[in-house]
Amino acid sequence: MKQNLLDFDPAALTAWFAEQGEKPFRARQVMRWIYKSGESDFDAMSDLAKSLREKLRQLACVQIPSVVREELAGDGTRKWLLDVGTGNAVETVFIPEEGRGTLCVSTQAGCALDCAFCSTGKQGFNRNLSTAEIIGQVWWANHELGKDADGHWPVTNVVLMGMGEPLLNFENTVSALRLMLDDHCYGLSRRRVTVSTSGVVPAMDRLREECPVALAVSLHAPNDKLRNVLVPINQKYPLSELMAACQRYLEKAPRDFVTFEYVMLAGVNDSEQDARELLRLVRDVPCKFNLIPFNPFPQAPYRRSAMPVVMRFRDVLAQAGIVTTIRKVRGDDIAAACGQLAGQVQDRTKRTGQRVIEVIA
Ligand code: SAH
Ligand code: SF4
């Protein structure tokens, strides 16, 4: 079988070239063709010797996951459904904003962590995405949207907030991050690449050592009792450990704060008292908050908090000096908003929200 070059991070690609008797600068040239020029055809890589092009054609390929559907929302948000084989699909969402373009990338087909309010979790876990499937989402979005008049790719920021828990697919996620950051590839700054995690504490420490980028942590509850229900991995890594891990992360992070994501669920975690309890929880962690109005999906056991409730919650945090934003709902007319992403090639819904409702009541 041919080697898909998208599966290599920069060091591994250089090593593979060495195995083929090729110098490191040849690997860099090929990287620049693939990522900077968006080229997938070796024959078009005009500054490579003919013999090298022939060798690459025989041994290697540049294979992007196949896109089975594209949808465009009224607000310009674009969603692609990528077929990742055996009936699985993952989604990639491009969100255009003034002066930047953010791509929301998936790292797993499904997710094992089963957060109570998340449609990806309700699908169960299918499999980890390969490095090629993760970086291929960036390649595809850039390819589809094309460079602007100044020759810049449209994807300027990447958030690993699509389907799956990136830190439970650690190796492939980090390889893809390295490609996003490398100057011969996309050359994005570490501050413009964000990993979002539900709080896999040991992997947060590893990420800090191996490839620190901006960090978002899905908090969603001010105490262990509620978070154990909403984000079940909390039973393994409770809030005290999570807060300590955030502090450790910040020692090496490219930004000097953690972004806490907090989904607003009516009557569940959205009271002023919850906000005040949160303030005590995060007292020692430099942070910003991003409040996410809950995005419903079929059979979801929750409702979105009313806007005045969300604003009151924001005010409590803001008055204590914490920068707090309310996430604009983007792309919800094409089910591309946070937590609505679900592979639809095959219905894998095996779980219902029922159990969770019972625990809360
Ligand atoms: N697994 C990672 C990243 C993917 S989820 C994580 O949990 O952080 C990306 C974000 O969307 C998380 O903050 C998640 O809690 C949030 N989310 C999940 N379901 C949602 C829903 N139905 N409405 C709003 N946000 C949701
Ligand atoms: Fe997985 Fe994140 Fe969804 Fe939780 S919120 S089930 S960790 S994708």
Side-chain angles (χ1 to χ4, degrees):
M1 213 165 73
K2 287 186 181 178
Q3 173 64 50
N4 188 357
L5 298 189
L6 295 187
D7 267 323
F8 288 135
D9 72 7
L13 187 71
T14 307
W16 187 82
F17 267 65
E19 279 169 32
Q20 316 307 326
E22 299 290 341
K23 298 231 158 56
F25 83 94
R26 293 288 176 209
R28 286 198 293 274
Q29 269 180 311
V30 169
M31 273 190 286
R32 296 180 75 88
W33 274 110
I34 297 174
Y35 299 103
K36 288 216 176 294
S37 305
E39 188 54 70
S40 57
D41 178 1
F42 296 125
D43 279 336
M45 301 183 181
S46 50
D47 56 359
L48 301 184
K50 269 220 165 94
S51 55
L52 175 56
R53 278 186 258 165
E54 178 58 29
K55 194 172 0 174
L56 288 173
R57 228 184 2 246
Q58 278 174 13
L59 299 176
C61 60
V62 177
Q63 196 175 349
I64 320 300
S66 64
V67 172
V68 290
R69 200 167 67 222
E70 178 186 55
E71 291 175 51
L72 179 62
D75 62 7
T77 300
R78 216 173 268 268
K79 177 170 95 170
W80 293 283
L81 192 67
L82 309 183
D83 180 4
V84 289
T86 60
N88 293 320
V90 297
E91 292 172 345
T92 304
V93 179
F94 179 75
I95 305 156
E97 286 171 296
E98 198 55 45
R100 68 175 176 185
T102 302
L103 193 70
C104 180
V105 164
S106 294
T107 54
Q108 297 182 312
C111 181
L113 295 184
D114 199 19
C115 297
F117 48 81
C118 174
S119 80
T120 302
K122 297 297 149 219
Q123 289 182 73
F125 175 68
N126 295 314
R127 68 170 176 84
N128 282 332
L129 299 190
S130 65
T131 301
E133 288 166 338
I134 300 171
I135 199 67
Q137 296 170 57
V138 184
W139 193 97
W140 173 263
N142 279 333
H143 170 78
E144 275 304 283
L145 299 167
K147 288 185 175 172
D148 66 14
D150 300 325
H152 298 305
W153 285 129
V155 175
T156 62
N157 295 58
V158 175
V159 292
L160 301 191
M161 291 186 188
M163 296 169 73
E165 168 52 53
L167 296 187
L168 289 183
N169 181 12
F170 192 87
E171 306 286 347
N172 296 345
T173 292
V174 166
S175 294
L177 289 174
R178 293 199 168 115
L179 291 166
M180 294 173 205
L181 301 172
D182 194 283
D183 279 340
H184 299 291
C185 303
Y186 290 119
L188 300 179
S189 110
R190 289 178 188 276
R191 303 155 63 87
R192 287 173 172 260
V193 176
T194 302
V195 165
S196 174
T197 179
S198 54
V200 187
V201 165
M204 288 165 66
D205 286 324
R206 250 187 102 185
L207 186 69
R208 177 197 62 184
E209 294 306 319
E210 294 182 25
C211 192
V213 291
L215 183 70
V217 172
S218 296
L219 201 50
H220 308 316
N223 56 57
D224 284 321
K225 184 158 175 263
L226 181 56
R227 196 165 191 269
N228 283 343
V229 175
L230 296 180
V231 186
I233 199 180
N234 193 72
Q235 295 162 19
K236 197 161 176 191
Y237 306 114
L239 283 168
S240 57
E241 289 181 29
L242 181 57
M243 292 303 119
C246 289
Q247 284 179 304
R248 289 195 298 275
Y249 194 88
L250 287 176
E251 291 163 13
K252 294 203 177 156
R255 289 186 180 273
D256 54 7
F257 60 90
V258 171
T259 302
F260 287 124
E261 297 163 277
Y262 195 95
V263 62
M264 299 293 291
L265 306 169
V268 175
N269 65 354
D270 62 351
S271 70
E272 281 188 55
Q273 196 187 330
D274 292 325
R276 274 191 274 278
E277 196 176 354
L278 262 188
L279 287 174
R280 287 194 292 278
L281 176 71
V282 304
R283 202 174 32 205
D284 299 324
V285 184
C287 62
K288 292 185 180 176
F289 265 83
N290 193 213
L291 306 179
I292 316 174
F294 171 63
N295 292 311
F297 53 90
Q299 277 121 43
Y302 300 106
R303 283 176 305 113
R304 180 182 289 180
S305 306
M307 222 6 133
V309 175
V310 178
M311 282 155 73
R312 191 151 17 93
F313 199 93
R314 190 254 333 258
D315 291 344
V316 174
L317 300 180
Q319 275 156 22
I322 297 183
V323 173
T324 305
T325 50
I326 299 172
R327 187 171 296 174
K328 261 199 283 176
V329 177
R330 298 289 305 253
D332 59 342
D333 50 338
I334 55 168
C338 308
Q340 289 182 318
L341 306 183
Q344 291 150 344
V345 165
Q346 182 177 316
D347 181 9
R348 293 187 160 263
T349 308
K350 296 193 188 97
R351 300 164 173 161
T352 70
Q354 211 55 40
R355 181 175 58 82
V356 174
I357 302 177
E358 285 164 8
V359 177
I360 289 174

